[in-house]
Amino acid sequence: MIASLIQLLTGMAEASSLFLVAAGLTVIFGVTRVVNFAHGSLFMLGAYIGWSILSRMPRDPEYFALGVILAGLATAAIGAALEMTLLRRIYRAPELLQLLATFGVVLMVQDATLHLWGPEDLTLPRGRWLRSAVVILGERFPLYDLILIALGPIVLAIIWMIFTRTRWGTLVRAATQDRDMVSALGVDQRRLFTSVFAMGSGLAGMAGALALPEASANLQMDLTAITDAFVVVVIGGLGSISGAYLAALLIGILQAVGIIWLPKSTLVLVFVVMAAVLIVRPNGLRGRKLTAARGEADTIASIKPASPSLKLAALATLAIAIAAPFVIGPFALSVLTEMAIAILFAASLHVMMGPGGMASFGHAAWFGIGAYAAALPVKLLTVSMPIALLIAPIAAGMVALAVGALVVRLNGVTLAMLTLAFAQIVWAVAFQWSDVTGGDNGILGVWPPSWAGPQAMYFLALSLCAGGALLLRKMLYAPWGFALRASRDSTQRAEAIGLDTQRLRLTAFTLAGSAAGLAGGLAAFTKGSVFPTTISIGHSVDALVMVLLGGVQTMAGPIIGAIVYTGLFDALLLATDLWRFVLGAAIVAIVLIVPQGIAGLAKR
Amino acid sequence: MSILEVQGLTKSFGGVAAVRGVSFTVEPGEMLALIGPNGAGKSTCFNMLGGQLPPDSGQVLLQGQNITFLPPRHICRLGVGRTFQITQIFASMSVRENVQTALLSHHRQSWKLWRAADTHHITEAEALLYKVGLATQAARPSAELAYGDLKRLELAIALAGQPRLLLMDEPTAGVAPAERAGLMDLVANLAREGQMAVLFTEHDMEIVFSCADRILVMDHGSLIAEGNATSIRANPQVQAVYLGTAA
Ligand SMILES: Nc1ncnc2c1ncn2[C@@H]1O[C@H](COP(=O)(O)OP(=O)(O)OP(=O)(O)O)[C@@H](O)[C@H]1O
Ligand SMILES: [Mg+2]
């Protein structure tokens, strides 16, 4: 009983931390309708800036408070600058492009932070008050955790007061409901948005600084924070602050208590709870159905069969791909193999995102499941390669079927975030379950049998991946693909002509997962190893960039995108240490300059 | 037997009663108009008949079979086609592909994975497009159509399912006045030829009085009158609702 009370308190402290990160995200979303992936980066910057300030100040509580506020203000200023230079230009873009552009910022901030503060984790020397504890029912409980517990409701109350008792807050709430109405009132909408963004960023920065005493400032905290914040915001209901607090409490306590009962599976527990909440309440605990906030950017281009010139280009590319291994060196061959695999990875995501209309930010999950599902039987049961390559798509497809059954009812950002959260969980399982997966060290020595040298593996990858991509294409032009597209274009109309839109979406989800799984299995054998990074957010974003670079609304897009992106990416890795920064900037540029992608551009 | 029998259908949104205890029948081959001022509850009624909305209470019987809580796709399979007040079509497809997609679904071929969809049911699709007057537009991207033509396309999509009952929510809204009568005559002819019943809402009274075999009038969620054109024209309650004069 006492133990569980302490767990409960720990959970509440955790909830406050979660809430502080999520509050800013949900405030920003509520008004601007942008899901800011860079929110975790602002959290990280808050921690680093906080460390720089606090490590130079006396270790008394009042200086700590001052330092946290200063870190928040600095982050708010950075957020305002970010809003004015980037966000403001993409308010009317499709949400996936917004996520992508702000992910570009994540990459840029990662490299900038690395260069400013170095690679080491930075811990704060803790003053005595930070180490002291309070005795509750005979148990010692950290004082700082008690402060955090109080801080959550206090911040919630302050935000609530600002929103209900000030003119600014009233305007912000009005803007949340109807953006155009507010600008019709003569309010400078741009300044309103900038100030909201600054406030949300400041909250993230303070949360980052407040995390210092219990953790450290490190380069992974941006993605951890954003995943946590996404989960909380989605469960709470996009745009709802009180919902965010409720969700934070739910998750915080679930984690603290869950760790006793299911020590290794708290993440899975969180995902299941999230899925359960969203099934009962698709808009989250306190969320409302969102009114459309975007202009025509989402309208769908019509899809036409490939023109003769495109078919010719495809044949020429295929001829080059078949002839190339006989003239190029081993490095170039490995790049070509990577490209072939990337084609299937991108084409499978395209099935979901394009014709399926389901945004996914976690496509690497399927690739990773396929890779591990191929590698593990080889290592543990000495299964042969052909069998392993059969297991990969089946395993990925089966998990996709189970997850899809829970999530295909959802739409837009919610679905994007759920897929992201699921991928993070798969990543965590691969990372933490080291007895089986080797954890961070991965699985090594997944080599193909001796008859399959690099050239043979290339041809295997080329035939399976190009063949797979063509097969998917064929299906998209067949009645099933039309029915799927019909479900996306107008669910109401599709249902009214007798189509089962959920089942169509679920098959597309499963098929995409399975195809990505095959790509993952091939990757395991061509690289000879599997690491948790195959499931990282970065890898999911690779697939997204390929599809968007090529153009979502064309069938050739993902293929062109995969080839171009893999080539550029490998060149970038060779050329500079700052590849993250350059890649991030390039992603932002793509979104701003060619949102319709290369193939979309060529069509005009 | 009536093709459709509606008994005591009721629906409220929050505290607002949108439809209160509406009962009526639709006979085979008849053109039945449901009229009433904006917000009377016509679309809400349609959505309960088509399965888009679950009613709070009441029943919908299709040739005696209770279809009250069935999902729209099952209701469609039982022979109910519909158009929406805000047209719903497949914007990424050409005009003909829209109809082909509907035909594929009607023939239960939507799960085929191999042969290209646009090679299926070409003649049937073109015949339907010809019927609604879109023959020359078949190859155009549907997103480019004028609003009136979208209404025609939606009709062709609905007809592809060979419905016994066609629900049309404001079929002529947005159609040029000169074309309205033609479009509704077409529907009326289809109804008579194919013994298909049509229930439609409409704000253009001329159309209603000339096309409908029978008229139902709704106001504030309730049916207030029923009859043929002459009796509805003469009904003081209906005049009050439409002209604002005291009943
Ligand atoms: N989804 C909804 N949520 C809340 N209220 C609704 C909803 N749909 C309709 N209503 C309300 O129910 C009432 C009836 O609306 P309905 O759309 O059925 O009217 P209508 O007769 O079709 O009007 P119109 O001629 O303008 O199309 C209106 O007061 C409307 O505001
Ligand atoms: Mg209506």
Side-chain angles (χ1 to χ4, degrees), chain A residues 477 480 485 489-490 493 497, chain B residues 82 88 92 105 110 117 154:
Chain A
Y477 280 114
W480 174 78
R485 224 160 10 112
D489 286 358
S490 167
R493 172 42 67 205
I497 61 169
Chain B
R82 73 164 293 177
Q88 300 283 332
S92 71
S105 176
S110 292
E154 205 188 18

Side-chain angles (χ1 to χ4, degrees), chain A residues 154-177:
Chain A
I154 290 174
V155 170
L156 177 63
I158 292 175
I159 297 178
W160 184 79
M161 296 273 276
I162 291 177
F163 279 145
T164 49
R165 297 289 154 83
T166 66
R167 180 180 139 77
W168 180 82
T170 314
L171 286 174
V172 169
R173 276 188 305 136
T176 312
Q177 260 130 49

Side-chain angles (χ1 to χ4, degrees), chain B residues 118-137:
Chain B
D118 58 3
T119 60
H120 288 81
H121 309 300
I122 296 178
T123 30
E124 211 179 332
E126 298 204 319
L128 278 167
L129 287 174
Y130 179 79
K131 257 188 200 167
V132 301
L134 285 178
T136 56
Q137 320 255 26

Side-chain angles (χ1 to χ4, degrees), chain B residues 13 18 37-44 85 170 203:
Chain B
F13 296 107
N38 290 117
K42 306 181 294 291
S43 295
T44 307
Q85 182 164 355
E170 307 208 359
H203 283 293

Side-chain angles (χ1 to χ4, degrees), chain A residues 14 36 59 61-62 75 95 111 129 183 207 221 253 298 321 328 344 369 374 414 424 434 436 449 489 503 575 584:
Chain A
E14 173 69 21
N36 180 22
R59 293 172 196 174
E62 57 273 25
T75 323
E95 53 220 1
D111 257 0
W129 71 276
S183 48
M221 64 196 304
I253 292 173
D298 270 337
I328 57 175
L344 187 56
I369 290 173
T414 313
Q424 281 301 89
S434 44
V436 176
D489 286 358
R503 245 174 82 192

Side-chain angles (χ1 to χ4, degrees), chain A residues 12 52 115 144 255 277 286 449 576:
Chain A
M12 287 174 70
S52 291
H115 280 259
Y144 189 69
Q255 275 178 344
V277 168
R286 306 281 319 254
T576 169

